[in-house]
Amino acid sequence: MGSDADRALSMYVQDLITSGALVPGLMERAFRAVPRHRFVDHWYRLEALGLQATWEYVLFDRDDPNARDLAEVYSNTSLVTKLSGCLPSASSSEPVLVSRMLEILEIEPGMKVLEIGTGTGYNAALLAELVGEPALVSTIEIQQDVAESARGALDAEGYEAIRILHADGVGGFAEGAPFDRIEATVGCSDLSPHWLRQLADGGRILLPLQHGHLHPLLLIEPSSSDPVRAVGRWVDHASFMAIQGAMACVNPWQSFILGELPRDGARRRPIPVPLPAMNEGKLPLTDPEHRAFHFFLSLSSRRLWSPLDGYGLADVGGRAIALVVGDEIEIRERPGETGCGDRLAEDLVDLLERWERLGRPNPDAYQIEFVPKVESPVLGTDSGNEWVIERIHYWEIVRLP
């Protein structure tokens, strides 16, 4: 019959297959071969008490797990394994997202792969199973204690040949290059030019790139016309912890945290362009059409703001916000402020109507190019269909064909 952990792993893989998140074949065999519970010995569980939330430390015995903890490990849940202050700084990502990213990469046996962000080591072990030889996998982790913990788990599970580097992932791993695939498992503020140079011919980078307060997944490869440039396309939505090191804390959008603006007395106005109803009790950006408009806002305004109950625009001074909440625009202002929220709401409506005129494009409709900052971005004549985001190393140019 096997152990409780064996049964939990089998049900976990079957649930991923049934939901469509896992493709039978090589991917299925990899997930069956790598038991997720062997890569964690603790995590932090978020406990909500009314409006308050606290982190509960969970000590996990991977050799003799109890039923509740085992069920949590083998659910579609990210497991936060380290906190920096009150914010997560290391985790094991949601299995559905892990599977989806590996599927997008189209990894084949014999490929060399570089991972940016080791975490628990679980994803590196899956990569080793997919390429067929652990020595073909290298992974970089900036936090030394996290790297050491992953090293111990990988060694214990027979993946001693996977190379773990304690370093800033922005530099990649020149000694191990060229790589057929580079996968970042942290939210990035930019593409690193080192990663682009370390790709093999035909290689690809899967990058969760910050747009607003989400990290849509972009599949990136060198431009066929100029190897120092890159082209990319949106392939899925995601949200990650932000990268640390040289590319940390660079945010073209709102870089500060707004204090609580009172909802008491908030004003509402109708949305002139209909949007789908937000699912009660779920985050607003779980709906594809809301995500599509959010992505458009990330291109069109640096005032984008995304609290838990909606998304929209924020005043740079923190005086007011105008959010899409449900089927209305909600305006919240600091006491004594007048007019600022109405102007934000009008700007939000203007952008929504512009998105409507463009045909409500989904994120996969855009063409994306990365041009080194030493060059000047060259735009076409239709400014209504082009946007430029200034990043650390690159101009990100986004176009609607």
Side-chain angles (χ1 to χ4, degrees):
M1 291 291 292
S3 67
D4 290 344
D6 291 337
R7 288 189 289 273
L9 173 59
S10 180
M11 291 176 60
Y12 159 81
V13 173
Q14 189 55 54
D15 287 346
L16 288 173
I17 293 172
T18 301
S19 69
L22 188 61
V23 178
L26 182 61
M27 285 280 291
E28 176 189 357
R29 291 193 294 274
F31 272 75
R32 290 193 187 279
V34 184
R36 191 185 189 207
H37 77 279
R38 300 298 303 175
F39 288 83
V40 288
D41 59 13
H42 72 278
W43 63 84
Y44 294 87
R45 181 184 293 144
L46 191 61
E47 297 286 349
L49 298 172
L51 297 177
Q52 301 297 318
T54 59
W55 292 104
E56 175 193 354
Y57 181 78
V58 179
L59 184 62
F60 179 70
D61 185 346
R62 50 191 167 203
D63 294 317
D64 186 23
N66 66 54
R68 180 193 179 187
D69 293 344
L70 199 59
E72 189 168 350
V73 171
Y74 285 113
S75 66
N76 186 40
T77 303
S78 62
L79 302 174
V80 174
T81 55
K82 183 178 179 181
L83 297 176
S84 295
C86 62
L87 297 177
S89 60
S91 72
S92 178
S93 297
E94 294 179 1
V96 166
L97 179 59
V98 171
S99 174
R100 176 63 179 146
M101 291 177 70
L102 294 175
E103 180 186 347
I104 290 168
L105 282 167
E106 297 182 336
I107 295 171
E108 298 176 359
M111 284 185 170
K112 287 180 65 177
V113 182
L114 175 64
E115 177 191 42
I116 311 298
T118 308
T120 65
Y122 177 61
N123 190 68
L126 291 169
L127 288 168
E129 293 292 333
L130 292 172
V131 300
E133 173 52 60
L136 295 173
V137 177
S138 300
T139 178
I140 305 176
E141 174 58 53
I142 195 170
Q143 301 174 92
Q144 185 170 358
D145 57 340
V146 175
E148 290 173 351
S149 178
R151 177 78 278 163
L154 287 166
D155 288 353
E157 296 304 306
Y159 298 101
E160 299 93 339
I162 291 177
R163 182 174 297 203
I164 299 181
L165 297 96
H166 169 226
D168 188 339
V170 68
F173 179 35
E175 294 84 353
F179 296 99
D180 299 290
R181 299 288 186 267
I182 297 177
E183 178 188 20
T185 56
V186 290
C188 296
S189 58
D190 198 4
L191 168 68
S192 169
H194 298 286
W195 304 341
L196 198 62
R197 287 194 293 268
Q198 292 169 19
L199 279 180
D201 290 343
R204 301 171 189 168
I205 300 169
L206 184 57
L207 182 66
L209 185 66
Q210 182 179 21
H211 283 80
H213 303 90
L214 297 179
H215 300 97
L217 298 175
L218 303 185
L219 193 61
I220 295 170
E221 56 190 22
S223 171
S224 59
S225 60
D226 188 342
V228 301
R229 296 187 176 200
V231 293
R233 58 187 174 88
W234 181 97
V235 288
D236 213 334
H237 66 280
S239 182
F240 278 88
M241 289 178 291
I243 195 169
Q244 299 180 37
M247 289 204 301
C249 299
V250 178
N251 185 351
W253 294 270
Q254 300 285 358
S255 59
F256 56 88
I257 302 297
L258 282 172
E260 285 294 324
L261 293 178
R263 296 199 70 176
D264 294 341
R267 293 177 287 115
R268 289 177 173 260
R269 56 185 287 179
I271 298 178
V273 176
L275 287 168
M278 292 181 180
N279 294 324
E280 192 68 30
K282 292 188 177 181
L283 295 177
L285 296 175
T286 54
D287 181 89
E289 199 156 5
H290 283 287
R291 286 198 301 267
F293 181 45
H294 180 277
F295 186 80
F296 176 79
L297 283 178
S298 77
L299 305 178
S300 304
S301 178
R302 301 301 174 263
R303 295 174 295 166
L304 176 65
W305 190 249
S306 306
L308 292 177
D309 56 345
Y311 65 96
L313 303 179
D315 173 63
V316 174
R319 296 174 297 172
I321 53 178
L323 304 176
V324 177
V325 178
D327 58 355
E328 297 177 298
I329 293 177
E330 184 174 294
I331 300 169
R332 305 176 200 165
E333 294 175 313
R334 292 203 181 282
E337 293 290 345
T338 57
C340 182
D342 289 314
R343 290 190 293 274
L344 286 172
E346 290 166 5
D347 291 345
L348 185 58
V349 168
D350 287 345
L351 290 169
L352 179 58
E353 291 177 339
R354 181 180 169 195
W355 180 64
E356 171 80 4
R357 290 193 297 272
L358 290 170
R360 298 187 176 217
N362 288 318
D364 61 1
Y366 299 87
Q367 297 173 347
I368 302 172
E369 183 180 17
F370 294 89
V371 176
K373 290 281 289 291
V374 294
E375 303 179 28
S376 297
V378 177
L379 303 179
T381 57
D382 190 352
S383 61
N385 283 32
E386 292 183 307
W387 301 264
V388 178
I389 298 173
E390 182 177 0
R391 299 192 179 272
I392 304 169
H393 304 288
Y394 292 95
W395 302 102
E396 181 191 5
I397 303 174
V398 184
R399 298 181 175 93
L400 272 177

